[in-house]
Amino acid sequence: MVCIDERTPVANGKKLVIVESPTKMKSIQGYLGDDYEVLSSVGHIRDLASKKEIPADKKAAYGKYSIDVENDFDPFYVVNDRKTKTVAELKRALKGADEVLLATDGDREGEAIAWHLLEVLKPKVPVRRMIFHEITKDAIKEAAEHTRELDVSLVDAQETRRVLDRLYGWDVSPVLWRKVGSGREGTALSAGRVQSAATRMVVERERERMAFVSASYWDVEALASQSGSSFTTRLNRLDGAPIARGGDYDDNGQLKKAVVVLDETQARALADAITAAGTATVAKVEAKPGTRSPRAPFTTSTLQQEAGRKLSMSAKHAMGVAQRLYEKGFITYMRTDSVALSGQAISAARAQAVALYGDKAVPANPRVYKSKSKNAQEAHEAIRPSGETFRTPASLASSLDRDEQKLYDLIWKRTVASQMADAKYETTTVTLTVKAGAQVAEFTASGTVYTFKGFLEAYEEGADEKRNDDDADQSLPAVAVGDTLSVSDVEPKGHSTSPKPRYTEASLVKALEEKGIGRPSTFASIIGVILDRGYVSKRGQALVPSWLAFSVVRLLEEHFADLVDYDFTAALEDDLDAIARGEQRRTEWLKSFYFGSEKQVGLRHIVDNLGEIDARELNSTRITDTATLRFGKYGPYLEVTDPTAAPDAKPRIVNIPEDLAPDELTPAKAQELIDAPVAGDRVLGENPENGKLVVVKDGRFGPYVQEVDAEEPEEVDQATGEVVEAPKKRGVKKEAAPKPRTASLFRSMSVDTVDLDTALQLLSLPRVVGTDPASGEEITAQNGRFGPYLKKGTDSRSLDDEKQIFDITLEQALAKYAEPKYGARRASSALKEFDADPVSGKPLKLKDGRFGPYVTDGETNATVPRGEDAMAITFERAVELIADKRAKGPAPKKTAARKAPAKTSAAKATAAKTTAAKTTAAKTTAAKTTAAKTTAAKTTAAKTTAAKTTAAKTTAAKTAAPRATTTRKAPAKNS
């Protein structure tokens, strides 16, 4: 650790507290009082520069990655454009402060944010770190009174991760753009270090499913009854030999041990014999006692898993809801890999368990949990309800929205249950024998009875999807050996083995944690990235890889094998943890990773020695002898060759349905697609208005009609019968052909039945309905991406069905416009209305816009986070979203690129206008451009001067005061 500032004693005046999130500000301000001013950095204020943000004099050193790899991997940082207003506000507050408390989160990310704040703000007053894990009055006051120094090792670990990810992504991603993407930088493809390993895991699971060979087997079920009580039994043995079960087969459909395999004929014959027997004898009754212990309190990982299993929340959604609960002061910090509870929390959980379930609900001694992970931060607590006394979910019903209520309930139950007594049970297994003709059939049934529920009174952990057939637990009546039971409803049952289930978000998080890939705080973002990149899609809860993911993983496996190796990826996380503990030096580790060492091949060596990569082969998967799946610019398709055709004949292209998962593209399914009649490309006739042919086609995005030019007849030499080619005109530039008119078919139309008249109607759209007599604007009816609608200027109205496009009259259209504009797809109507925003004083509304639901007060629009139920938004949540958006400030405007001559002219015009009238010129676009250039030049010069000044500082000076440069020399920091 380093002392941030030892020059002056802590002052007694105004203290500036900087937190990460604006939603924390109000609560913390109230707890600390008027002697403090609490402001927010709204997350990170700066990051590694993009290529265009690097000054010309820095291009040589930092131009490739914004990192000087030859000079101890020195990073070049810039303040985010969206954070200039935030930084200005913080600097304003700093002028009146006698002390600064950096109260960002207590993890690596929070430590790095605190360090960046020091670098940018350059405070000349004492600066300390303020750490808290729950937002309660006692916790905040305790944190303010017991501050600590900035932990540079944590900053180093976070910076190493950021540098590592930049080097990895910017070296590997361009290979994907060239060999898998469309060949242009800017495609959605990327090769993040951890996301690549996660994508590989999902693809490998799909490969296992594709290679899986299903096996079939039969057994028999029957209903056994005694004195009115009945239970289901299942055939277990036949003449003493075990009957085949799903677990007896491997993934190739082969038996792993000697068992009896019944086919359908044998199973039906056996069922008939058992039915004829009618009775069974109890041969054995076994009762075994057992206990179950509660699970540890939630970590980030286990919370994401349970929220997925029990609440169907994505990892990202769960973390967003948990963040809100933390910031509102209802739970402790939600990014933790520790399962430990404080003495205060243990007492609260035990007291609540006793109050709700009685004295016997808790064991004599408190339960103490320890993390299995060697790198777990035991200084943190597990995720639990905050405070000395836990608030019950019912008591917070009016303070939480629906998702917050559900997640808080889950956290509360898990925490209370973790301190409760073991559950006690007894499992009874009954074995029945039936004389079935010449054979002896043995049936079994199991049942579990809890003699003491213990922690199960409060909570039971969810389970992931199981594979193959498992005997269901049930309640069994009391029976004794020798009892005779009646047997009925005997039914032969056919079964097929099933492949491993696809990963869900919950099971993928569990697998990532087991392999040591990533950290709990990154799992949600990892899954979010592979979904956003199109590598994976969701089918229900299951994660299904795309063919794009197959190509990406194949490239990484064949050419970057070390980098996507699971053990190597996990080892990187261990190394980052070692840096965070101060046991490893940042610069030495990065040199080994990038340039190589005795232990590993460096990233640079791998990228520089890739050799030739066959992109066509990389994007190909052989399905049958004649059909190959290829992934092209517009997605996957089948390329089918005809063995009897000429060698130079073009292969046939067959589209693949978008909803077809990779493991469903079997050879049989491929042949079905190949043999299917080709729909589309059918000539409907000639358009009498222009002589063009009208053709119906079936495209990747649905059926459509199109006008095409009729082929001109070829000129033939009458004497020789040969086709005469028209002479080419030299020096004449060929004009671009006009785009053919195209129109999608309505959902009610079919490629096979659409006729010429209907096609001409479609091509004539949009249809002019008439003119609004009030405004004089033309009203048109047309078909769009979201269905049929009317348009009048910029105002639109949805139609009830597609037929109305051709049928609606002007009177009906005017009546539509006279109706209030409301509904799911109408952006101008409010889905919900709330009270006035406390800042702007204007009423808040929940609306649905082009890019999804959002909250607005008429001045500020805040998008509802993806995955959050818009209709569950409360007034408090709406205020929170608006506050967050307002704190971030407006998004930077993108300026269009301009040609050099125009730029020069604009500059001259600006100069002239500035001389004539500075005030007027300042309002013009040209003057704004000049002012922006001047500001940028000054900023660059200031940054350059600051960088040179910092480079000249000694280690001692660096330790005593925060650095202000946008670049950082590792030796100075690590000395």
Side-chain angles (χ1 to χ4, degrees):
M1 294 186 180
V2 298
C3 179
I4 299 176
D5 199 312
E6 296 178 338
R7 294 171 296 176
T8 55
V10 176
N12 295 319
K14 195 90 168 180
K15 297 178 177 64
L16 173 63
V17 179
I18 305 177
V19 297
E20 285 185 39
S21 170
T23 54
K24 299 178 186 177
M25 291 165 49
K26 186 176 180 181
S27 297
I28 296 175
Q29 182 72 71
Y31 295 147
L32 293 177
D34 294 337
D35 291 338
Y36 296 80
E37 181 178 8
V38 183
L39 294 177
S40 168
S41 68
V42 197
H44 274 283
I45 59 170
R46 67 176 189 171
D47 193 9
L48 290 175
S50 63
K51 292 180 180 179
K52 64 182 180 182
E53 292 175 315
I54 300 174
D57 62 332
K58 299 286 186 181
K59 287 285 186 185
Y62 298 94
K64 187 173 182 181
Y65 308 104
S66 301
I67 299 163
D68 187 352
V69 297
E70 303 295 341
N71 187 19
D72 293 330
F73 297 88
D74 186 42
F76 189 90
Y77 294 109
V78 293
V79 174
N80 190 312
D81 287 342
R82 297 186 180 185
K83 296 302 176 67
T84 53
K85 184 177 179 181
T86 300
V87 171
E89 178 67 13
L90 292 173
K91 286 184 175 181
R92 176 205 62 75
L94 183 60
K95 292 178 181 178
D98 294 324
E99 186 179 1
V100 176
L101 297 178
L102 298 174
T104 52
D105 293 341
D107 53 14
R108 296 178 196 166
E109 203 76 19
E111 206 75 11
I113 292 173
W115 180 80
H116 283 291
L117 285 167
L118 286 177
E119 291 284 283
V120 173
L121 298 179
K122 309 178 186 67
K124 297 179 180 179
V125 295
V127 180
R128 304 289 291 174
R129 279 287 276 132
M130 175 179 165
I131 301 297
F132 49 86
H133 302 298
E134 59 181 349
I135 303 176
T136 59
K137 187 174 183 179
D138 290 342
I140 296 301
K141 287 194 171 182
E142 174 77 10
E145 292 171 1
H146 297 86
T147 57
R148 67 164 171 81
E149 300 166 354
L150 183 75
D151 191 336
V152 180
S153 294
L154 290 178
V155 178
D156 271 346
Q158 190 278 337
E159 184 174 79
T160 303
R161 177 187 291 277
R162 185 70 187 93
V163 169
L164 165 65
D165 290 343
R166 172 62 66 92
L167 295 173
Y168 186 107
W170 284 26
D171 265 346
V172 181
S173 293
V175 182
L176 295 184
W177 298 332
R178 294 192 302 270
K179 301 301 181 181
V180 179
S182 61
R184 299 189 308 272
E185 182 173 340
T187 61
L189 301 186
S190 68
R193 176 181 56 87
V194 185
Q195 78 188 45
S196 297
T199 304
R200 183 187 177 194
M201 290 174 65
V202 178
V203 168
E204 284 186 342
R205 178 58 56 88
E206 195 75 4
R207 287 172 177 167
E208 291 174 336
R209 292 174 62 87
M210 294 168 73
F212 178 77
V213 178
S214 181
S216 298
Y217 60 95
W218 285 72
D219 61 14
V220 179
E221 288 185 3
L223 197 66
S225 305
Q226 183 191 53
S227 303
S229 297
S230 60
F231 56 95
T232 301
T233 65
R234 189 174 183 184
L235 182 65
N236 188 45
R237 289 176 176 270
L238 192 62
D239 290 334
I243 297 296
R245 291 279 186 267
D248 297 329
Y249 292 89
D250 62 19
D251 287 350
N252 295 317
Q254 302 298 313
L255 285 169
K256 296 185 287 186
K257 62 181 182 180
V259 291
V260 175
V261 181
L262 297 179
D263 59 23
E264 182 177 3
T265 302
Q266 292 171 316
R268 292 192 181 281
L270 184 61
D272 292 340
I274 294 169
T275 300
T279 59
T281 302
V282 178
K284 187 190 299 183
V285 178
E286 287 183 300
K288 292 183 179 180
T291 60
R292 285 180 59 188
S293 298
R295 295 287 186 175
F298 280 132
T299 63
T300 303
S301 168
T302 53
L303 176 63
Q304 291 173 7
Q305 292 174 49
E306 278 292 83
R309 296 184 192 116
K310 291 195 167 185
L311 306 180
S312 298
M313 286 186 181
S314 68
K316 183 177 181 181
H317 185 193
M319 290 308 294
V321 177
Q323 177 89 30
R324 301 203 302 270
L325 287 172
Y326 166 66
E327 291 175 350
K328 291 179 178 180
F330 296 125
I331 65 171
T332 54
Y333 191 53
M334 67 290 158
R335 293 190 181 92
T336 176
D337 50 10
S338 171
V339 293
L341 290 176
S342 64
Q344 179 192 74
I346 290 174
S347 298
R350 287 172 63 87
Q352 200 146 73
V354 170
L356 293 171
Y357 308 112
D359 293 337
K360 293 183 179 180
V362 298
N365 297 315
R367 294 184 184 274
V368 177
Y369 296 93
K370 290 187 177 181
S371 299
K372 296 179 181 178
S373 171
K374 64 180 179 181
N375 295 316
Q377 301 179 51
E378 296 293 351
H380 296 176
E381 274 195 85
I383 304 170
R384 64 165 178 89
S386 60
E388 294 182 0
T389 303
F390 294 167
R391 288 162 286 191
T392 62
S395 69
L396 297 178
S398 61
S399 304
L400 305 176
D401 64 33
R402 186 172 63 179
D403 286 345
E404 291 168 353
Q405 178 83 14
K406 288 179 179 178
L407 197 65
Y408 182 82
D409 182 70
L410 199 66
I411 295 168
W412 177 84
K413 286 178 177 177
R414 177 85 165 216
T415 308
V416 172
S418 73
Q419 287 300 315
M420 292 177 67
D422 289 343
K424 297 179 181 179
Y425 63 89
E426 187 174 77
T427 298
T428 302
T429 302
V430 176
T431 303
L432 308 176
T433 57
V434 180
K435 186 68 175 176
Q439 297 176 300
V440 176
E442 189 177 286
F443 286 78
T444 59
S446 293
T448 298
V449 176
Y450 281 91
T451 56
F452 177 68
K453 296 202 73 173
F455 75 91
L456 293 176
E457 293 277 9
Y459 178 82
E460 182 170 9
E461 187 177 49
D464 292 319
E465 180 185 350
K466 292 185 177 180
R467 187 181 180 189
N468 295 321
D469 49 338
D470 292 300
D471 292 327
D473 203 14
Q474 60 184 318
S475 178
L476 299 179
V479 295
V481 174
D483 287 354
T484 300
L485 281 64
S486 62
V487 177
S488 60
D489 297 339
V490 184
E491 184 180 359
K493 291 273 189 178
H495 306 274
S496 295
T497 57
S498 57
K500 291 180 182 178
R502 291 189 178 96
Y503 285 112
T504 61
E505 288 201 28
S507 60
L508 182 58
V509 165
K510 183 178 181 181
L512 288 168
E513 185 174 42
E514 288 173 347
K515 289 182 180 293
I517 296 172
R519 279 293 174 262
S521 60
T522 64
F523 292 153
S525 62
I526 291 169
I527 295 174
V529 168
I530 65 176
L531 286 167
D532 292 341
R533 294 285 185 263
Y535 298 154
V536 171
S537 62
K538 295 186 76 170
R539 180 182 289 187
Q541 294 296 313
L543 298 175
V544 183
S546 63
W547 287 108
L548 169 64
F550 275 73
S551 296
V552 169
V553 169
R554 186 178 298 152
L555 182 144
L556 294 174
E557 288 175 334
E558 293 178 2
H559 301 280
F560 300 92
D562 288 343
L563 299 182
V564 292
D565 178 77
Y566 297 136
D567 292 337
F568 176 76
T569 306
L572 293 186
E573 298 295 342
D574 291 339
D575 291 340
L576 290 172
D577 288 328
I579 294 172
R581 295 191 298 267
E583 299 168 2
Q584 175 76 271
R585 288 176 62 85
R586 161 189 173 276
T587 52
E588 291 176 358
W589 188 89
L590 283 170
K591 285 178 181 178
S592 175
F593 170 80
Y594 188 71
F595 294 112
S597 63
E598 294 179 359
K599 296 181 180 179
Q600 67 183 62
V601 178
L603 175 63
R604 172 175 281 187
H605 178 79
I606 294 173
V607 174
D608 290 346
N609 295 276
L610 282 176
E612 291 298 322
I613 298 178
D614 187 340
R616 183 174 175 81
E617 182 63 28
L618 185 71
N619 291 285
S620 302
T621 302
R622 176 74 68 178
I623 306 298
T624 68
D625 291 340
T626 59
T628 301
L629 180 132
R630 300 199 187 279
F631 188 85
K633 185 175 181 180
Y634 301 106
Y637 61 92
L638 281 177
E639 186 179 87
V640 185
T641 58
D642 183 357
T644 63
D648 57 347
K650 284 188 177 181
R652 180 183 157 201
I653 303 300
V654 177
N655 286 331
I656 296 175
E658 288 187 17
D659 59 350
L660 190 69
D663 75 327
E664 295 169 352
L665 187 60
T666 60
K669 181 63 178 179
Q671 196 58 49
E672 178 187 326
L673 295 172
I674 294 168
D675 295 339
V678 180
D681 290 13
R682 181 167 61 91
V683 178
L684 302 178
E686 184 180 292
N687 186 342
E689 294 183 2
N690 54 26
K692 293 180 180 289
L693 295 180
V694 179
V695 180
V696 61
K697 300 184 177 184
D698 195 1
R700 177 167 178 76
F701 302 104
Y704 62 98
V705 291
Q706 186 178 62
E707 282 184 342
V708 297
D709 291 317
E711 293 186 3
E712 295 183 5
E714 296 173 328
E715 185 180 347
V716 179
D717 189 315
Q718 297 298 324
T720 63
E722 295 179 352
V723 175
V724 179
E725 293 186 4
K728 295 181 180 179
K729 297 180 180 180
R730 302 182 67 181
V732 178
K733 187 176 180 180
K734 185 178 180 180
E735 293 184 5
K739 216 171 181 181
R741 283 202 303 170
T742 302
S744 296
L745 266 61
F746 289 173
R747 292 183 179 88
S748 57
M749 298 177 182
S750 167
V751 175
D752 302 320
T753 58
V754 67
D755 56 24
L756 178 62
D757 291 339
T758 304
L760 292 175
Q761 278 187 309
L762 292 172
L763 290 168
S764 68
L765 294 178
R767 166 180 165 253
V768 177
V769 178
T771 302
D772 184 347
S775 64
E777 291 181 297
E778 191 175 72
I779 300 175
T780 60
Q782 45 195 302
N783 200 20
R785 180 182 177 188
F786 301 108
Y789 66 99
L790 293 172
K791 187 172 184 182
K792 180 178 66 172
T794 58
D795 194 5
S796 61
R797 292 288 190 278
S798 290
L799 294 173
D800 299 326
D801 59 61
E802 294 166 323
K803 287 182 61 179
Q804 286 187 300
I805 293 178
F806 298 127
D807 300 340
I808 194 167
T809 63
L810 177 60
E811 292 72 23
Q812 292 171 329
L814 293 173
K816 276 278 185 187
Y817 275 99
E819 296 173 0
K821 190 175 184 181
Y822 58 88
R825 289 194 297 266
R826 294 163 171 80
S828 65
S829 64
L831 301 177
K832 292 177 77 173
E833 296 188 3
F834 305 102
D835 293 336
D837 178 72
V839 176
S840 68
K842 296 184 178 181
L844 292 173
K845 295 181 180 180
L846 173 68
K847 295 186 174 184
D848 199 0
R850 180 181 176 189
F851 301 106
Y854 65 98
V855 177
T856 182
D857 64 350
E859 297 177 353
T860 304
N861 297 338
T863 302
V864 175
R866 189 172 64 177
E868 187 171 339
D869 184 358
M871 298 309 295
I873 294 290
T874 61
F875 170 67
E876 291 76 14
R877 177 60 175 151
V879 171
E880 182 181 321
L881 290 170
I882 288 290
D884 286 349
K885 179 64 175 177
R886 191 180 288 121
K888 290 180 181 179
K893 294 182 179 180
K894 294 182 178 179
T895 55
R898 289 167 292 180
K899 295 181 180 179
K903 196 183 224 182
T904 304
S905 300
K908 289 179 179 179
T910 301
K913 289 179 180 179
T914 304
T915 304
K918 288 185 178 179
T919 303
T920 305
K923 296 179 181 179
T924 66
T925 303
K928 285 182 179 179
T929 304
T930 304
K933 288 181 178 179
T934 304
T935 303
K938 289 179 179 179
T939 302
T940 302
K943 288 180 179 178
T944 304
T945 303
K948 290 178 179 178
T949 303
T950 301
K953 288 183 179 179
T954 64
T955 303
K958 188 224 71 157
T959 303
R963 287 155 293 161
T965 178
T966 54
T967 64
R968 182 162 78 93
K969 305 299 182 185
K973 182 176 145 187
N974 289 324
S975 63

